[in-house]
Amino acid sequence: MTAIQEAQERPRGARLPRSARREQLLGAAQEVFVAQGYHAAAMDDIADRAGVSKPVLYQHFPGKLELYLALLDKHCDALVDATRTALEATSDNKHRVAATMEAYFHYVSSESGAFRLVFESDLTNEPAVRERVERASDLSATLVSKVIAEDTDLPEAEAKLLAAGVCGLAQITARYWLSQGREIPRDEAVRLVASLAWRGLKGFPMHPETGERPAGAE
């Protein structure tokens, strides 16, 4: 049961622990922002969705931007954590590529639609929003680049460029796949995109200290 569903089971105005109330408000705000975008959303809409008064909402968040940024922080962190988990799940580099693609496809295909706050925001002209999105993209690419740099003979800057390409490929293809109504089963879509990325990456020479090809290169 979600925080919103729990709140809906309580009488309007019933007290919740502060942390639970905050999560409830974030859940309500996410639904409104995803459905309407930042500019069309109103604090009244969010308060109504959460089943609270506007003063209660303002007790937790001083304004709409602060509420949006709190959500953005949450979902940017989730993307970076998903990328890290994918890379740490195996030492097989071919599987790491596939796991990274799966992480992005899973993130984009979530029923919450929260990826739209990160990748399709209508508030990218706001510096605080742009900084958070760019930071999440950079952190994800940095995680991937460390693996590439460790396993190949490439300088750090070149490894980072390739990593940005891998993450960009994952993000754009996942969003395109979703926009096309998921015509291809997700597992197959992930396999196709991972195969494309791996065929490019496995062509780079291994680091001289390892003297080995990446696992799964054959």
Side-chain angles (χ1 to χ4, degrees), residues 85-161:
T85 298
L87 294 170
E88 293 177 350
T90 177
S91 59
D92 183 311
N93 289 330
K94 183 177 182 180
H95 292 165
R96 278 173 169 164
V97 171
T100 300
M101 297 301 161
E102 169 59 26
Y104 274 81
F105 272 75
H106 177 76
Y107 183 79
V108 166
S109 62
S110 170
E111 290 184 5
S112 72
F115 82 94
R116 299 189 189 281
L117 304 179
V118 179
F119 296 134
E120 299 178 1
S121 173
D122 60 347
L123 197 60
T124 52
N125 61 332
E126 167 61 45
V129 171
R130 188 166 57 249
E131 185 275 332
R132 283 164 169 79
V133 173
E134 290 176 352
R135 179 175 178 274
S137 297
D138 184 71
L139 286 174
S140 295
T142 297
L143 290 169
V144 175
S145 73
K146 287 180 179 179
V147 174
I148 294 175
E150 288 171 0
D151 292 344
T152 70
D153 197 22
L154 294 174
E156 181 179 344
E158 293 182 13
K160 185 68 173 288
L161 180 62

Side-chain angles (χ1 to χ4, degrees), residues 16-25 56 58-61:
L16 285 174
R18 185 171 181 82
S19 60
R21 178 68 77 190
R22 179 182 171 84
E23 285 304 308
Q24 176 211 359
L25 296 175
V56 169
Y58 280 112
Q59 285 174 10
H60 292 264
F61 302 98

Side-chain angles (χ1 to χ4, degrees), residues 12 25 28 42-54 57:
R12 186 180 180 91
L25 296 175
M43 293 294 268
D44 284 320
D45 299 329
I46 296 168
D48 286 345
R49 184 73 186 89
V52 302
S53 65
K54 278 180 66 177
L57 180 56

